[in-house]
Amino acid sequence: DNAREGGAQQSSLWEPPEQDGGPSEREGGEGPPEVKRSQPLFIHGSRWVRGPASSLPSIPNPFPELCSPSNSPILSSPALGQGPPREGTSHVVKVFGEDGACRSLEASAGTTARQLCETLVRRTRALHDHSWALVELHQHLALERCLEDHESVVEVQSSWAPGADSRFVFRKNFAKYELFKSNASLFPEMMVSSCLEASKSMAHSELIQNFLNSGSCPEVQGFLQLREAGRKVWKRFHFSLRRSGLYYSTKGTSKDPRHLQYFADLTESNIYYVTQGKKLYGTPTEFGFCIKPHKVRSGVKGLKLLCSEDEQSRSCWMATFRLFKYGMQLYRNYQQAQARLSQPPWIAPTPLRSVSDNALVAMDFSGCTGRVIENPSEVLTAALEEAQAWRKKTTHRYSLPAACHSSPLSAAIHRTQPWFHGRISREDTQQLIGRQGLVDGVFLVRESQRNPKGFVLSLCHLQRIKHYLILPSEEEGRLYFTMDDGQTRFADLIQLVEFHQINRGILPCKLRHYCTCVAL
């Protein structure tokens, strides 16, 4: 509104409607053209005003963008009155890959993390499985967590503070549903035995079922390092995680209500991994995690920082927190992910192979149609014949014809495989496997930094990463690769990996999941 001298009244961008609904009459001569009462009036260089004419020069409008509300970035900005996302409106979601590349996607308010992952899998032509995940990363706080499949991506994005260095990252997470598998030793006996006497003889599936049952939920307890609020001092307390929340004892391991101090609420918080705990927060170990209340949008203030003694303990606390918070919803996500695997894939005209012990059956294709071989002796005979034919084919294809010649195919065919990561360092390898899940059988192959002609197989077992040197050797003019001084030989790295996907060999476990990075 512009205030004018000479008795001029206050001018407004919007003309108030008259009672009789007729056209408004102007003083001071003939007025401007009539306008509809529901439309905005544009401010021109000279303006007719009510009352006597003013001798002052016309004042230009300093905010011309306000004259067009439909195009105004101020009136149409979602930052004004920012609240929960409205249904039916589209939002732009930026997703980053592990290589730092970014892709912008349009998502509705109800788009879930699983739906967004499936869209990215289709666009990147990646192998479709339930291990792809969307990770919420707060770089300025060194915090990250994997979004659950049912979570709304737009709702999570709207909770970020404006200008904060937060992003979504699309990558593998093999540990996402590992807690629902019977071979997972996720819950140490010392953390559940004292609070549930029957758990000593309880199977893993029964223990998980108790977690999902709100009536008989076992309590998880153990020692954790706690950073006191406003200080950099860490103290060791005995914590107990119950359905009602997280508590710690002020007197040893006592569970007396007088000694239990309420620490965090499960329903109004999210739990995050701390990626650079020693550097940013001075954690005693590298196994830190953080409980971040929903009301905390930015800054360290309000974060509840904790630190465990080893990775197994941290994984147990993180998994229990998810089970307590989401309950049966988490299990339904797992069931839906398993059901999607049985559906035919809609991508990749040449999909990558995925070896599974349960999917391997003996087949006979000698006739017009194939048949499943059920006789064990016939299965053994067919396997031996196939092995002999396979050895002849691979030896003819990949072996060196002479010592003085080198085969480009044998020397470089492994570079086309998703599990090969080239010249990646040992530290980067451990970080990559750690980000994609410390699950038994997660592996990758890389070039050796110490031996220029060798390779390294990096494998996760019992939440520890082990490295095995692969050396090339030559015999009678033929090149082969070995990990056990020539006792087991392979024509190339592909043959070596495929063998250990079916047979353990000298490794502590079979190769189950390969680390891979896709380009967005």
Side-chain angles (χ1 to χ4, degrees):
D1 297 335
N2 298 325
R4 297 179 182 265
E5 297 181 1
Q9 297 182 357
Q10 192 176 12
S11 174
S12 174
L13 295 182
W14 298 83
E15 290 292 336
E18 296 183 355
Q19 298 296 331
D20 55 359
S24 61
E25 296 180 359
R26 306 274 180 166
E27 298 179 0
E30 186 179 356
E34 296 181 1
V35 295
K36 296 181 180 180
R37 297 306 172 191
S38 59
Q39 298 297 324
L41 286 178
F42 294 91
I43 300 178
H44 301 282
S46 61
R47 175 115 174 133
W48 293 92
V49 296
R50 301 179 188 272
S54 172
S55 60
L56 294 177
S58 60
I59 302 176
N61 178 28
F63 305 106
E65 66 273 10
L66 291 178
C67 300
S68 180
S70 60
N71 300 326
S72 171
I74 299 178
L75 298 181
S76 62
S77 173
L80 280 180
Q82 191 173 26
R86 294 179 299 174
E87 292 290 340
T89 59
S90 59
H91 304 263
V92 177
V93 177
K94 289 186 177 181
V95 182
F96 290 80
E98 291 191 275
D99 57 353
C102 174
R103 172 170 290 205
S104 297
L105 301 173
E106 188 176 7
S108 63
T111 302
T112 63
R114 172 49 50 190
Q115 293 171 344
L116 199 66
C117 285
E118 290 178 349
T119 301
L120 290 170
V121 166
R122 286 195 297 267
R123 295 192 178 184
T124 57
R125 306 178 69 84
L127 181 64
H128 178 55
D129 56 25
H130 61 74
S131 59
W132 289 107
L134 204 62
V135 178
E136 179 188 5
L137 176 62
H138 301 282
Q139 292 183 314
H140 60 294
L141 298 176
L143 303 179
E144 66 176 42
R145 76 176 180 99
C146 176
L147 266 65
E148 305 299 342
D149 286 350
H150 66 277
E151 287 191 77
S152 171
V153 177
V154 176
E155 185 177 346
V156 173
Q157 182 175 257
S158 64
S159 66
W160 297 345
D165 192 7
S166 304
R167 60 176 59 179
F168 290 122
V169 180
F170 177 64
R171 70 180 183 217
K172 290 273 190 177
N173 184 8
F174 299 106
K176 188 174 185 178
Y177 293 121
E178 194 69 13
L179 64 146
F180 293 117
K181 300 180 181 179
S182 59
N183 60 349
S185 56
L186 190 61
F187 302 99
E189 184 178 343
M190 65 184 69
M191 298 183 68
V192 295
S193 60
S194 60
C195 57
L196 187 65
E197 295 297 334
S199 65
K200 294 183 179 180
S201 59
M202 187 177 295
H204 178 84
S205 58
E206 296 176 346
L207 185 62
I208 290 294
Q209 191 61 39
N210 277 352
F211 274 101
L212 299 175
N213 185 1
S214 59
S216 58
C217 184
E219 173 185 313
V220 173
Q221 61 181 10
F223 283 97
L224 291 172
Q225 298 276 355
L226 167 64
R227 180 179 175 179
E228 295 185 353
R231 302 180 61 185
K232 296 184 179 181
V233 180
W234 291 79
K235 288 188 177 181
R236 193 168 182 259
F237 291 97
H238 190 267
F239 280 81
S240 300
L241 184 57
R242 303 175 178 177
R243 180 71 65 179
S244 57
L246 182 62
Y247 302 82
Y248 68 92
S249 176
T250 58
K251 187 177 181 180
T253 59
S254 174
K255 294 184 180 179
D256 192 303
R258 297 174 299 174
H259 303 144
L260 288 181
Q261 183 73 29
Y262 185 77
F263 183 70
D265 183 18
L266 303 181
T267 58
E268 299 298 329
S269 305
N270 285 321
I271 191 165
Y272 293 79
Y273 284 97
V274 179
T275 57
Q276 300 178 22
K278 288 190 174 182
K279 180 180 179 180
L280 266 68
Y281 306 110
T283 56
T285 67
E286 297 178 353
F287 312 107
F289 59 99
C290 171
I291 298 176
K292 181 176 176 290
H294 294 164
K295 61 182 179 180
V296 178
R297 302 190 64 186
S298 63
V300 182
K301 187 177 181 180
L303 300 181
K304 301 179 184 296
L305 297 168
L306 298 167
C307 188
S308 58
E309 297 178 356
D310 51 36
E311 181 60 38
Q312 187 182 25
S313 173
R314 179 171 70 166
S315 300
C316 179
W317 286 107
M318 301 280 287
T320 310
F321 190 98
R322 293 171 59 205
L323 284 170
F324 278 14
K325 181 174 181 180
Y326 300 109
M328 283 301 299
Q329 179 64 54
L330 197 64
Y331 186 64
R332 283 193 292 268
N333 293 346
Y334 169 68
Q335 289 181 317
Q336 293 172 3
Q338 292 293 104
R340 281 190 293 268
L341 289 180
S342 61
Q343 299 175 357
W346 20 249
I347 47 171
T350 55
L352 301 174
R353 259 192 308 180
S354 178
V355 177
S356 173
D357 294 340
N358 298 329
L360 297 176
V361 293
M363 298 287 295
D364 178 18
F365 295 101
S366 57
C368 298
T369 59
R371 67 180 182 91
V372 178
I373 304 176
E374 298 181 355
N375 188 353
S377 59
E378 188 180 358
V379 168
L380 180 59
T381 303
L384 292 175
E385 293 177 356
E386 179 69 20
Q388 293 294 337
W390 181 71
R391 286 194 182 96
K392 292 179 181 179
K393 179 179 65 175
T394 55
T395 301
H396 174 73
R397 181 179 180 183
Y398 298 133
S399 61
L400 291 178
C404 58
H405 298 285
S406 62
S407 172
L409 182 62
S410 177
I413 191 172
H414 54 267
R415 297 185 179 276
T416 63
Q417 301 304 305
W419 40 257
F420 184 75
H421 288 257
R423 295 192 60 83
I424 182 175
S425 66
R426 185 188 185 102
E427 292 75 16
D428 293 340
T429 298
Q430 299 193 160
Q431 291 180 8
L432 178 60
I433 296 179
R435 288 195 303 265
Q436 298 197 3
L438 293 176
V439 176
D440 288 357
V442 176
F443 75 99
L444 62 83
V445 179
R446 57 187 174 89
E447 296 180 4
S448 175
Q449 292 182 310
R450 297 182 180 180
N451 193 322
K453 294 184 179 180
F455 301 90
V456 177
L457 171 65
S458 299
L459 173 67
C460 178
H461 179 63
L462 297 179
Q463 297 182 332
R464 296 181 180 272
I465 302 174
K466 302 180 180 181
H467 307 273
Y468 299 88
L469 183 62
I470 305 173
L471 292 175
S473 185
E474 214 173 294
E475 183 177 346
E476 297 180 357
R478 294 180 177 177
L479 179 69
Y480 63 86
F481 297 88
T482 181
M483 292 192 299
D484 53 5
D485 296 330
Q487 296 184 14
T488 309
R489 306 174 184 180
F490 303 95
D492 53 38
L493 296 182
I494 296 180
Q495 190 182 42
L496 183 147
V497 169
E498 290 182 345
F499 174 84
H500 288 96
Q501 285 178 324
I502 304 175
N503 308 276
R504 191 180 72 175
I506 66 168
L507 302 177
C509 63
K510 299 178 184 178
L511 305 182
R512 294 174 54 198
H513 313 290
Y514 57 82
C515 287
T516 184
C517 300
V518 297
L520 295 180

